[in-house]
Structures are given as structure tokens and as C-alpha cells.
Amino acid sequence: AQRVTQPEKLLSVFKGAPVELKCNYSYSGSPELFWYVQYSRQRLQLLLRHISRESIKGFTADLNKGETSFHLKKPFAQEEDSAMYYCALPISGTYKYIFGTGTRLKVLA
Amino acid sequence: NAGVTQTPKFRILKIGQSMTLQCTQDMNHNYMYWYRQDPGMGLKLIYYSVGAGITDKGEVPNGYNVSRSTTEDFPLRLELAAPSQTSVYFCASGTSNTGELFFGEGSRLTVL
């Protein structure tokens, strides 16, 4: 079955420290993967998608097919990065998007 | 730009009551979704629709019904509410062009 796994429920880092939010997937074929973010009192929104290979708010994510991972990284965390992060992908051949369980990132001053 | 609008934002129901969560989008998106968000469980897909008149079950459809009579609207009906349906519900819409989903602000439902 296709699945997205985010092993960490909570990740706390100090401001200025590097951040890596983990996402692993099981999928047959070439997956499309997304990272969504939910800031406090805001709606869930797209952060980045692997196909566009872009950097948003200093975050990047590389698809590693060998390790079936799509980890989200930022070299220097900021307090405003504190939020809930979700990894997502569409089930093969459909537009049914499944999400991981999410990781809450807390950036400490 | 309104985007995806959900109503109500908050609701308390008694066990056995019914209600409808409304969702409307003004972006002319074909795809619409209902998710529920439970602590530690992430987002679970309840139902989705790929266009007017077409709906399909997601991961957790039991206890819910949907309809899609227009492109804009995708209401979620809860029949015979149960405490297990206490959750935050999110409606989303999207297109096949980018794969991006646009979410509503959420509806917090408590069943007592």
C-alpha cells in the first residue's frame, strides 16, 4: 500500500541550528511529493513540491528514490519556522492525496 | 480572493444529531476533498470529488456522506453524530495542473 511516514511527532531545535524533517514513502513508480505547512492560526498551505526543485523560505527537499525519502531541510532555523509540517503524495493514478501524521517543529530562541 | 470557505468554524453536537459542514470554492477547481485532522494522526481523507456529480470514498468514509451538485460546493453530511467524529475538518480544492491543494480554515466539531 502506498504510504507516507513522518517518524517524528515533535522536533525542537534552537534558532540558527539546522533542521531536517523526515519523510519516507512507499510507492511503486515515480512519486510526486509535497510538503505542506500549517502555522499557528493559519490554514494549511503548500510549502514546496519536489517536481519544481525550488527553495521556499530557505527550505529545500530532495527526492531520494534509493532511500524512498523526501526530507525537508533548512540550514538555519528561524523562530517563525515553528509550525506543523506535513508530507503528502497522491495515490498512483488518482488525485487522492494522502498525508503523513505530521511533525511539529519548535524553534527555540 | 475568498479561496476555500468552510462553515461553520465551530460546532457542538449531541450524540445522534446530524449536521452538514459547508464548503465552497471560487477558483473553479475540479477536485475537492474533505479531510479530518486528529492529534497524532495527521490528515485522513474522508471523501473526495473529481468533478460535479462524481464523488468517491477516501480512507475514513464511515459515518459521512457528500454530494457535489456544482463545481463550487462540496458539503459534508454527518448522520447520527458519534464522539469518534470529534475532530477538525478541512475542505480542500485543487487542479491537476499543479497538484497543489488549497485548504479552508477548518471546522472544529465536538460531539458530546
Side-chain angles (χ1 to χ4, degrees), chain B residues 78-94:
Chain B
L78 281 73
E79 305 281 2
L80 300 175
S84 61
Q85 293 177 304
T86 294
S87 189
V88 181
Y89 291 83
F90 288 97
C91 180
S93 70

Side-chain angles (χ1 to χ4, degrees), chain B residues 3-75:
Chain B
V4 178
T5 303
Q6 292 179 233
T7 57
K9 286 189 168 49
F10 303 94
R11 183 73 186 268
I12 298 174
L13 282 181
K14 293 183 180 178
I15 294 172
Q17 286 186 319
S18 301
M19 75 158 297
T20 300
L21 297 175
Q22 301 290 346
C23 176
T24 187
Q25 53 96 5
D26 61 1
M27 296 173 282
N28 201 32
H29 287 165
N30 285 337
Y31 307 119
M32 294 190 75
Y33 308 81
W34 275 105
Y35 289 90
R36 56 178 288 172
Q37 182 186 46
D38 300 304
M41 302 295 290
L43 290 162
K44 295 291 186 186
L45 181 63
I46 305 171
Y47 270 96
Y48 76 110
S49 169
V50 299
I54 305 168
T55 63
D56 204 353
K57 296 178 181 178
E59 301 165 274
V60 291
N62 291 344
Y64 306 95
N65 275 304
V66 293
S67 59
R68 185 93 182 272
S69 56
T70 66
T71 299
E72 295 78 18
D73 300 307
F74 191 43

Side-chain angles (χ1 to χ4, degrees), chain A residues 15-67:
Chain A
K15 178 181 171 182
V19 173
E20 182 178 71
L21 298 163
K22 291 184 168 52
C23 172
N24 290 92
Y25 66 89
S26 61
Y27 190 93
S28 54
S30 295
E32 296 179 62
L33 281 147
F34 300 80
W35 276 101
Y36 282 81
V37 60
Q38 188 177 26
Y39 300 104
S40 178
R41 296 190 180 85
Q42 293 188 29
R43 60 184 74 195
L44 205 64
Q45 58 188 284
L46 179 67
L47 180 63
L48 56 80
R49 73 202 85 188
H50 95 272
I51 200 166
S52 54
R53 301 186 65 77
E54 56 200 346
S55 172
I56 304 293
K57 297 184 179 182
F59 284 98
T60 58
D62 290 318
L63 180 63
N64 185 323
K65 291 186 180 179
E67 296 182 358

Side-chain angles (χ1 to χ4, degrees), chain A residues 12-19 75-79 105-109:
Chain A
S12 296
V13 301
F14 284 102
K15 178 181 171 182
V19 173
F76 307 104
Q78 302 299 314
E79 288 181 76
L105 174 65
K106 284 190 178 178
V107 181
L108 308 170

